[in-house]
Amino acid sequence: MEFVVEEGKLVNEDCSTLVLPALSIGNVGQLAVDLLVSSTGAERVGYLDDPNLLPCVGNDAYGPLPCGDIALPLEVYESSSIATTLAQQRSPVAKGLMIKFAENIADFAASSGKKHVIVLSSLDFQRLHNLDLSRGPQVYYLSNAESDGRDDHCERLGFGRLREYDSEGRCWKYLSSVFEKNSEEELTFPSEDELEDIDYYPSLPFAALFSAFKARGLKVTCLLCYCSEGDNIPEAFLLAEAASKLTGLTPDKFHGEEGGKWRIPYSWKSMYGAPPDMSMF
Amino acid sequence: MEDVLTENPPPSRFFQEDLNNFVPPPESIPSPFILFSNPKPELPLRPSLLIIAISSPSLYVSHNLPSKTLLGSLIMPEVPFSGNTIEPSLEDKSCNIYSLSSTDDKNSILLVSVQLPVSPERSNLVSRLLIGQDIIPERVIILDSIQSRNFRGRLSPDETLAAKLETSAEKKATSHLVNLDYFPSGSVIDGLSASLLSRCQLKNIRGTLVISWPEFGPSVIKFIGALLKKIVPSLDVASVNKDLEKNSSRTGLKKDTWLDSDLYT
């Protein structure tokens, strides 16, 4: 993976936190990063060129009006006011290459001096076994602060620990062994036929990223929420707000519109396609 | 077979395997490569303009341009030659590289006709071959069609549309190769043309992707011919427009990959 600095831009060495999405149901992580980039006014400083990523291009996603600035599959944004780097991924990883991709991006994070990585992801609502609606939409987390995934700061913020995380589980151990170069255990690649329900969580892209960053000695926190596929804007807000709380962002650092603190990206205007053709009525 | 009424539907924005770390990596295929004609030109080639035709209309225009010299071919090992003809034909599965230049300015303008299917997974390798290794262009024009599956607006089959995306280097230049509106935000282009334009952006090369609609037909072919004539005034496009109206509305339609079968050549 090569990091290409955009012409005329400088990378801020003080941005020690990296926020990035994991591919997940409803594209929630990616939508959340869109919100963060748009609202914090973070500027694009470069691109990550990875051979495992499928290609895509588009017009500027954020606005206020699209001005023809090209958007690439994996872009890096920074805002010195929030001392945070945001990476946005717009296209999928090629089939079967997620582990290589995770390794590459962990290398980038480590070599560019990041200390804390926050991964935003959603989980399939059909996998949620203990539904508790009394507290409203819940953000879950997984951290490498402690071996059981627990983190005091996340607990104080009211996030729920992902109880399904089991560091000794077969698939979690496999992921750890793949990314830890000096691992003495040689574990076999789990075949699709062998996977059980409990293997759902480590099979997801966020788990590969978590394990890769952990292996590089970085602090990593995954912020998760359950959802079904549909209009996933509410979940994007939920995760973006959770990420801003975790990083200590305050509303005065956001550009607001209409009294709110979030700025809706311009590209969201056509997220669900064109309106219906009224001439048919 | 799953019961479509009671079983949970699969996600529509991803395939299940896109979200599964434990899908095995793909089998390794030999890399594509460029084979140059004899005598082999001096490498790297440094054209002032590289035109890459991917869409059916642009391939039709390219094929009918006279006075082009075949310099070489990009070979993809997974694409069989069966059915290809000795003389270049629109029906061939090939990726030929031509020089459009006069003898005075040899290889100054190159044309690549991408007549073979390039999967998104192989696009990065192909785009690296065409830009930045044996070919280092000053400017690039890529011609592709709007992909209706990725377009968030309305596309009428009766209306010819075109838009562009360009690299930062092209955008800040004082004169632009192509004068079109920008592709609307929220829609994306994927595949080989996206990979090529990304490569230009990463290499700080002046690149423009022109995406047109519909995917075939006389109107869009005339548009592409006129566009290329404007960019390269010395181009002879007269033979492109000849007998255009007599042909069917599916003039120059590139066969869908899934319709192709190696059984029929």
Side-chain angles (χ1 to χ4, degrees):
Chain A
M1 178 181 282
E2 187 190 352
F3 177 52
V4 177
V5 180
E6 188 158 2
E7 190 149 313
K9 297 288 169 68
L10 290 170
V11 174
N12 188 337
E13 306 286 331
D14 294 332
C15 290
S16 59
T17 300
L18 170 65
V19 178
L20 76 161
L23 293 179
S24 54
I25 186 167
N27 303 92
V28 174
Q30 293 156 292
L31 293 174
V33 170
D34 260 357
L35 265 179
L36 287 166
V37 171
S38 180
S39 303
T40 59
E43 267 194 13
R44 187 172 62 196
V45 294
Y47 314 94
L48 288 165
D49 181 25
D50 190 271
N52 304 301
L53 210 52
L54 298 183
C56 78
V57 289
N59 196 344
D60 172 41
Y62 299 116
L65 285 172
C67 51
D69 284 340
I70 185 177
L72 294 197
L74 189 54
E75 300 182 319
V76 179
Y77 296 80
E78 279 183 355
S79 169
S80 52
S81 61
I82 59 172
T84 299
T85 300
L86 300 155
Q88 176 60 297
Q89 180 180 346
R90 302 187 196 289
S91 65
V93 176
K95 192 170 72 170
L97 297 176
M98 185 64 220
I99 288 181
K100 280 195 184 298
F101 175 76
E103 192 168 31
N104 290 345
I105 204 160
D107 282 345
F108 159 72
S111 63
S112 56
K114 303 303 173 199
K115 303 280 186 292
H116 184 195
V117 181
I118 300 171
V119 178
L120 306 180
S121 177
S122 50
L123 304 168
D124 191 341
F125 191 77
Q126 293 164 31
R127 302 281 183 166
L128 178 59
H129 296 299
N130 301 309
L131 183 60
D132 177 6
L133 295 175
S134 62
R135 292 192 290 172
Q138 173 68 53
V139 172
Y140 296 86
Y141 77 92
L142 172 63
S143 167
N144 65 341
E146 293 178 33
S147 59
D148 63 353
R150 196 178 180 283
D151 177 89
D152 285 340
H153 184 45
C154 290
E155 292 290 326
R156 283 194 296 273
L157 289 173
F159 303 153
R161 184 172 67 85
L162 184 71
R163 295 184 192 281
E164 288 81 0
Y165 173 66
D166 173 13
S167 60
E168 293 303 308
R170 175 185 55 163
C171 289
W172 285 109
K173 279 182 79 169
Y174 174 79
L175 286 176
S176 291
S177 73
V178 158
F179 294 114
E180 281 159 21
K181 305 271 189 253
N182 57 354
S183 168
E184 288 171 7
E185 280 196 88
E186 271 210 33
L187 297 168
T188 51
F189 195 84
S191 78
E192 279 186 84
D193 300 332
E194 297 173 316
L195 296 178
E196 298 166 0
D197 277 350
I198 194 65
D199 299 320
Y200 165 69
Y201 295 89
S203 75
L204 293 177
F206 88 86
L209 293 170
F210 173 79
S211 304
F213 290 124
K214 185 158 81 83
R216 293 307 302 264
L218 303 175
K219 179 173 159 58
V220 51
T221 310
C222 299
L223 296 178
L224 312 157
C225 68
Y226 284 92
C227 72
S228 297
E229 204 176 63
D231 179 359
N232 297 112
I233 292 176
E235 287 85 17
F237 273 95
L238 184 66
L239 277 193
E241 281 177 354
S244 66
K245 277 189 206 168
L246 188 63
T247 51
L249 284 171
T250 50
D252 62 308
K253 295 205 167 94
F254 282 57
H255 303 275
E257 64 176 19
E258 298 173 1
K261 63 177 183 173
W262 297 100
R263 177 191 279 167
I264 304 294
Y266 184 88
S267 58
W268 283 22
K269 288 190 194 317
S270 58
M271 193 190 299
Y272 298 117
D277 182 2
M278 300 308 290
S279 65
M280 66 183 173
F281 297 111
Chain B
M1 184 177 155
E2 289 182 355
D3 186 327
V4 298
L5 291 179
T6 58
E7 290 294 330
N8 296 316
S12 62
R13 296 183 219 164
F14 288 114
F15 291 112
Q16 296 280 15
E17 55 213 9
D18 290 336
L19 301 180
N20 189 342
N21 297 326
F22 305 125
V23 168
E27 280 182 23
S28 162
I29 310 175
S31 297
F33 56 94
I34 295 180
L35 206 57
F36 285 99
S37 311
N38 276 328
K40 195 172 172 181
E42 194 178 318
L43 298 177
L45 295 169
R46 293 183 187 274
S48 60
L49 178 64
L50 174 66
I51 303 170
I52 305 175
I54 299 174
S55 66
S56 296
S58 64
L59 288 172
Y60 183 90
V61 171
S62 311
H63 181 69
N64 285 288
L65 287 174
S67 310
K68 51 184 192 286
T69 309
L70 182 63
L71 288 185
S73 220
L74 187 148
I75 309 291
M76 297 195 64
E78 68 269 29
V79 178
F81 292 131
S82 61
N84 284 3
T85 54
I86 303 290
E87 289 295 320
S89 154
L90 259 183
E91 308 300 317
D92 289 347
K93 285 195 200 131
S94 64
C95 181
N96 288 339
I97 303 167
Y98 300 93
S99 169
L100 292 180
S101 316
S102 63
T103 47
D104 300 335
D105 202 3
K106 218 171 163 190
N107 299 337
S108 170
I109 302 176
L110 295 187
L111 167 68
V112 180
S113 288
V114 185
Q115 291 182 198
L116 40 69
V118 180
S119 68
E121 291 79 3
R122 299 281 269 171
S123 293
N124 283 331
L125 287 173
V126 170
S127 63
R128 278 165 199 272
L129 274 179
L130 290 176
I131 298 172
Q133 285 180 202
D134 289 339
I135 304 174
I136 302 178
E138 282 178 31
R139 296 168 96 168
V140 179
I141 292 271
I142 305 152
L143 302 165
D144 202 356
S145 290
I146 293 176
Q147 302 152 341
S148 54
R149 64 179 183 277
N150 291 332
F151 190 71
R152 292 284 180 257
R154 277 200 206 90
L155 291 170
S156 164
D158 305 325
E159 194 184 345
T160 304
L161 297 172
K164 69 173 179 179
L165 288 170
E166 58 194 11
T167 61
S168 305
E170 176 66 22
K171 189 165 183 280
K172 66 185 180 201
T174 47
S175 69
H176 293 211
L177 271 183
V178 172
N179 191 16
L180 286 171
D181 287 339
Y182 287 117
F183 194 60
S185 177
S187 301
V188 293
I189 300 288
D190 63 12
L192 178 62
S193 54
S195 183
L196 288 162
L197 191 67
S198 297
R199 185 110 182 106
C200 291
Q201 176 71 3
L202 294 169
K203 291 289 174 193
N204 203 29
I205 292 173
R206 291 183 63 177
T208 306
L209 167 59
V210 175
I211 36 250
S212 57
W213 177 264
E215 292 175 288
F216 44 82
S219 63
V220 66
I221 289 174
K222 281 182 191 166
F223 167 77
I224 298 289
L227 179 75
L228 285 177
K229 179 74 180 174
K230 206 170 168 187
I231 296 169
V232 186
S234 59
L235 263 186
D236 178 8
V237 296
S239 49
V240 170
N241 292 329
K242 202 175 165 187
D243 296 331
L244 204 54
E245 299 298 339
K246 283 187 194 170
N247 292 329
S248 74
S249 61
R250 294 171 83 78
T251 301
L253 172 67
K254 196 172 184 176
K255 286 183 191 158
D256 286 332
T257 310
W258 66 273
L259 286 175
D260 275 343
S261 168
D262 287 336
L263 291 177
Y264 306 103
T265 58

